[in-house]
Every structure is written in C-alpha cells, then in structure tokens.
C-alpha cells in the first residue's frame, strides 16, 4: 500500500513540476525592469525567452517577439534548449508513468515490467528537473552580471540612463517547478524498489550434476594394462613350454625341428 501511495504521489508531484516548467517557459516575465531608482515611470519593460514587452501607464501593453535566432546570445539560446529538453523529457516521463502505475492494470503486465517503467520515468523526471533548474540558474546568472555591470557604469558616469533588469516571476516558477520534478523523480525511484517481487530479489540458482555419480575402485597394479591374460592367449596349437630345474621355461631351438 505504501508503495502505491509513493508512486501516485511521485506522479502527481512530477505532474506539477512539468506543468510549472511549461508555464515558466511560456511566461514573459523572466526579467523585469528595475524600478529602484525610478519607482514612477510611464513605461515598464519586461522580457521573456520568446519576446520582449512594454507596458505603458495607460494599461496598454505591446509585445514584440525575437525575430532572430543567431543574433541572440549563446547563453540565452542554451537556456531555451535546456527548458525545451526538460519539458520533452517530463512529458515522456508522464506517459511512461501512467502505464507504470500499480493501480492501473493493462493486460497481463507483470510487476517487474512496471518496476522497470517506474524507474525509467523517475530518471526522466530527475533529468527534467535538473534541466529546468540549470536553465533558470544560468539566466539568473546572466541577469546578475548585467545588473552589476550597468550599476558600475551608472556610478562612473559613463551612462546617465541605463535600464537595469532584475529577477522576474518566471524565474521563481522555474525553480519551484524544477524542484518538484526532481522530488517526484526521486519518489518514483523509491517506489520502484517496492514493486520488485520478493522472489526475484533473492533468486537463488542451484546447480545439479547432470550425470550419475560414478565410483571407481582401485586395485593392485597388474602390469602395464596392455598385456593380455596368459589364459586367453591359449588357442589351437598352443602348448606351454616345459620348465627346467631352476623353474625357467625352456623353449625349443631351431635345431630341434631338423
């Protein structure tokens, strides 16, 4: 029961994380104009990954998409790629996780297959969360660097008017979404352990001899083993040679046959 709860909770948390990543990627408030020195302004600017917007004091808002790809900074394009990869992996993980839920039976799927699918979806959620967190952190680092460079130029009198940008709401949404996807992936990996059947965890393999036990008897040494028994050598026309007084056999010579 606890395994099912952990699996379902991991799925729901990952679903929130993936949805938050999609929302953060589509938002236009990744960077907003800093109003610290000029709180009252007629124009308020903010930017996203896909377009930049200007909102006037009258309430009219105009957004303009980025019509170029090669003209954008390399780090900016890297952030786009990380967010897209995280969203794709998250959606694929959700599809795999739906079929891996223990409370859903599809055909004769075994628990071992569900455990493997659960582990796969968990790894996808972890990678998706890391992609979202990394992409948002890289963009935040870009904002911090540009902010302090603009502040230094303003204090040195190099530029009288300089628009500085600070963190927008999309960054916090992306951080939270990446954390949720990461936590959901860890929960899915923990639920995978409970789905593995007990007999497959401690599966022992016994080896039995395929042949019969053969016992060999040892006996006294009887020659080289290649000589035939003297009794078996007797045949037709075979006569044993007579023995002499000292016990030796005497064989006829060639002169005896003359």
């Amino acid at each position: 029961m606890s395994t099912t709860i952990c699996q379902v909770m991991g799925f729901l948390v990952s679903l929130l994380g993936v949805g938050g990543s999609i929302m953060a990627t589509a938002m236009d408030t990744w960077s907003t104009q800093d109003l610290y020195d000029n709180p009252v302004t007629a124009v308020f600017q903010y930017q996203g990954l896909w377009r930049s917007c200007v909102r006037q004091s009258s309430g009219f808002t105009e957004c303009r998409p980025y019509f170029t790809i090669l003209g954008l900074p390399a780090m900016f394009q890297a952030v786009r790629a990380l967010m897209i990869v995280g969203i794709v992996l998250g959606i694929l993980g959700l599809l795999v996780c739906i079929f891996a839920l223990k409370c859903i039976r599809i055909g004769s799927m075994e628990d071992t297959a569900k455990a493997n699918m659960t582990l796969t979806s968990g790894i996808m959620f972890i990678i998706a969360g890391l992609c979202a967190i990394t992409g948002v952190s890289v963009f935040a680092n870009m904002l911090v660097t540009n902010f302090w460079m603009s502040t230094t130029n303003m204090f040195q009198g190099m530029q009288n008017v300089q628009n500085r940008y600070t963190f927008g709401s999309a960054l916090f949404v992306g951080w939270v979404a990446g954390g949720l996807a990461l936590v959901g992936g860890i929960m899915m990996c923990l639920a995978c352990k409970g789905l593995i059947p007990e007999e497959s965890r401690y599966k022992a393999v016994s080896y039995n001899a395929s042949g019969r036990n053969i016992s060999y008897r040892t006996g006294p040494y009887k020659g080289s083993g290649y000589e035939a028994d003297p009794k078996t050598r007797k045949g037709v026309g075979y006569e044993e040679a007579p023995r002499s007084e000292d016990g030796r056999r005497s064989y006829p010579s060639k002169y005896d046959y003359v």
Side-chain angles (χ1 to χ4, degrees), residues 226-245:
Y226 296 98
E227 297 180 356
D229 193 358
K231 297 181 180 180
T232 61
R233 292 185 300 180
K234 293 182 178 181
V236 179
Y238 177 82
E239 294 181 1
E240 186 177 0
R243 295 178 180 272
S244 61
E245 295 179 357

Side-chain angles (χ1 to χ4, degrees), residues 196-209:
I196 301 176
E198 294 291 337
E199 59 270 12
S200 61
R201 292 187 193 176
Y202 311 99
K203 187 176 182 180
V205 181
S206 59
Y207 297 92
N208 298 324

Side-chain angles (χ1 to χ4, degrees), residues 80-156:
R80 280 182 171 182
L82 285 172
M83 297 303 295
I84 292 175
V85 170
I87 292 173
V88 172
L89 287 177
I91 294 175
L92 292 178
L94 290 175
L95 295 177
V96 175
C97 186
I98 291 175
F99 295 101
L101 291 176
K102 193 175 182 180
C103 56
I104 298 178
R105 284 291 178 182
I106 301 177
S108 59
M109 185 179 296
E110 298 179 356
D111 292 338
T112 305
K114 285 183 173 292
N116 295 332
M117 295 176 66
T118 302
L119 180 61
T120 303
S121 62
I123 295 175
M124 287 183 177
F125 290 144
I126 291 175
I127 298 177
L130 292 177
C131 288
I133 294 174
T134 303
V136 175
S137 300
V138 169
F139 194 90
N141 181 60
M142 293 172 54
L143 287 179
V144 172
T145 303
N146 295 332
F147 182 86
W148 290 114
M149 289 180 61
S150 301
T151 303
T152 303
N153 294 334
M154 290 176 61
F155 286 146
Q156 291 178 356

